[in-house]
Amino acid sequence: MEIPVVQKVLKLNDDIALLLRERFEQAGVVVFNFISAPGSGKTSLLETTIRHFRGRFAIAVIEGDPDSTLDAQRIARHGCPVVQIQTSGGCHLEANLVQRAIAQFDLDSLDALFIENVGNMVCPVEFDLGEHHRVVLVSTPEGSDKPAKYPKLFRTAGIILLNKCDLLPYVPFDRAQFDTYVQSVNPEHPAVSITATRPETCTAWFAWAEAKITGRMAVPAR
Amino acid sequence: MHELSLLRSVLHKALEISREHGNAPITQITLQVGALRLVDEDLFQFAFDASTPDTPAAGATLCCEKILARVLCTHCESVFPPSEPVWQCPGCGRFGGRVLEGDELILKSVTLADASAGEE
């Protein structure tokens, strides 16, 4: 006896993500999901960004890692509320994990929530966390072919950041090829060059993030 | 290896249906998988076999129906099968496009053993 179902396989996750997004809207919090390979500089970028927006925006961070609380310790040093999710080897964050983590924040007092996903360019792509924007990082030592190898990740990005540009003189990275690949998978979002450890190189990123945060904040006010 | 997470969701629904029918054994689970989904069918089957012993889904066949990808060029409205690694419209040469088909990941049906065939 064949029983028709016709239901999205990710329905459980998507249902929770929908609830989360409603909750974030209600609280006026803009949520960014940072995805990249391990070691691309997500945590360094978060540190630089938190420092830049200190005193202007109330930011909280969720750190996702297979193990350890090292990243949460780095974020906590900046006086920022942070929850570390340990996935026990799991390769991505899911909406139910984020749901549990946000219970530890006073969401209504926040302007932005940064979620640092587990370092991985495949699995996190499939799981909606209720975020408003996906921030995709790739660093110059990883090579210029990444957008062609992981097109879906780059296709779903709201902004693409090319990190560790200070290493360009020392690593074989074909910028023209990279830009062609980015343009072909995501024509609307050209890559933005940064060196996450040097805030003076991150102005375009800061401006983009600020526009997204203030854009959202303006909505409930009116 | 996010296939295990995907599978959890499939099994959740399939076992619910089995329960509604007196814990009837599941013989087949049919999925529709778009070509653009990041799903490895062999890993999916492996995760399925590893997760189902001692459940009504033990021994069931996992059937993945592939859905080919079709992309619409938003400039000239050509519809084309996306080429790898990049999508380039064969009509006007522009990059990108909107996905019409190929992004599906759907639990299509669950097949239960007929009650009369229970002695098999």
Side-chain angles (χ1 to χ4, degrees):
Chain A
M1 175 178 35
E2 186 176 3
I3 298 168
V5 183
V6 191
Q7 169 183 302
K8 280 185 174 179
V9 165
L10 281 165
K11 188 174 184 305
L12 289 179
N13 186 77
D14 290 350
D15 286 352
I16 298 171
L18 195 72
L19 288 175
L20 285 175
R21 200 166 279 119
E22 279 170 12
R23 179 75 189 91
F24 295 144
E25 301 279 334
Q26 237 174 36
V29 184
V30 189
V31 182
F32 301 83
N33 181 2
F34 291 74
I35 307 180
S36 80
S40 299
K42 293 185 293 299
T43 315
S44 296
L45 179 66
L46 290 185
E47 291 184 283
T48 299
T49 308
I50 290 164
R51 238 180 274 129
H52 177 77
F53 287 134
R54 173 172 299 149
R56 296 182 49 214
F57 298 135
I59 296 171
V61 175
I62 294 175
E63 284 288 346
D65 282 296
D67 209 338
S68 94
T69 58
L70 292 172
D71 279 358
Q73 292 173 40
R74 278 172 67 180
I75 298 297
R77 264 180 236 137
H78 300 274
C80 191
V82 57
V83 173
Q84 175 80 51
I85 298 176
Q86 291 175 9
T87 60
S88 311
C91 51
H92 60 273
L93 293 181
E94 295 188 22
N96 65 330
L97 296 174
V98 172
Q99 191 177 39
R100 243 177 282 160
I102 61 167
Q104 312 210 24
F105 297 130
D106 174 17
L107 271 194
D108 295 305
S109 71
L110 295 178
D111 299 318
L113 172 64
F114 294 158
I115 302 173
E116 181 179 336
N117 219 310
V118 178
N120 180 327
M121 297 175 99
V122 179
C123 310
V125 181
E126 296 282 353
F127 294 85
D128 186 357
L129 303 180
E131 76 268 23
H132 299 104
H133 307 285
R134 277 191 181 178
V135 179
V136 170
L137 269 88
V138 60
S139 64
T140 54
E142 294 169 52
S144 38
D145 54 4
K146 285 292 170 292
K149 287 183 174 173
Y150 303 89
K152 193 162 182 182
L153 169 64
F154 287 87
R155 204 171 289 135
T156 59
I159 187 169
I160 297 165
L161 300 174
L162 178 61
N163 191 24
K164 305 187 191 177
C165 283
D166 56 337
L167 297 181
L168 275 172
Y170 313 107
V171 294
F173 184 88
D174 183 341
R175 181 66 203 252
Q177 185 195 53
F178 179 76
D179 285 336
T180 305
Y181 283 142
V182 166
Q183 209 235 329
S184 65
V185 296
N186 193 335
E188 281 146 46
H189 298 108
V192 175
S193 300
I194 60 165
T195 296
T197 49
R198 297 186 188 171
E200 71 276 13
T201 66
C202 299
T203 49
W205 150 249
F206 293 149
W208 182 88
E210 182 171 342
K212 298 300 177 193
I213 297 170
T214 52
R216 181 74 52 178
M217 285 163 68
V219 177
R222 269 166 210 166
Chain B
M1 186 52 183
H2 59 295
E3 281 78 1
L4 202 55
S5 303
L6 300 180
L7 189 79
R8 222 171 30 226
S9 180
V10 170
L11 270 183
H12 180 85
K13 185 68 187 175
L15 293 175
E16 181 183 300
I17 290 171
S18 163
R19 261 197 311 279
E20 286 164 5
H21 293 80
N23 287 324
I26 298 168
T27 56
Q28 181 169 311
I29 295 177
T30 306
L31 305 174
Q32 292 179 310
V33 183
L36 299 174
R37 276 331 274 229
L38 303 175
V39 173
D40 183 299
E41 278 183 36
D42 290 338
L43 273 180
F44 221 170
Q45 184 70 53
F46 175 78
F48 183 79
D49 294 340
S51 314
T52 49
D54 307 320
T55 74
T61 311
L62 186 68
C63 172
C64 293
E65 297 178 358
K66 200 99 190 159
I67 297 178
L68 294 178
R70 291 194 313 137
V71 173
L72 172 75
C73 173
T74 49
H75 294 281
C76 75
E77 301 201 333
S78 294
V79 174
F80 60 98
S83 49
E84 290 304 328
V86 298
W87 299 355
Q88 188 169 19
C89 172
C92 66
R94 305 248 190 145
F95 289 119
R98 188 153 50 81
V99 176
L100 296 178
E101 278 183 315
D103 214 17
E104 301 82 357
L105 187 54
I106 293 166
L107 172 58
K108 185 186 171 194
S109 67
V110 175
T111 308
L112 301 177
D114 291 328
S116 56
E119 67 271 25
E120 196 199 330

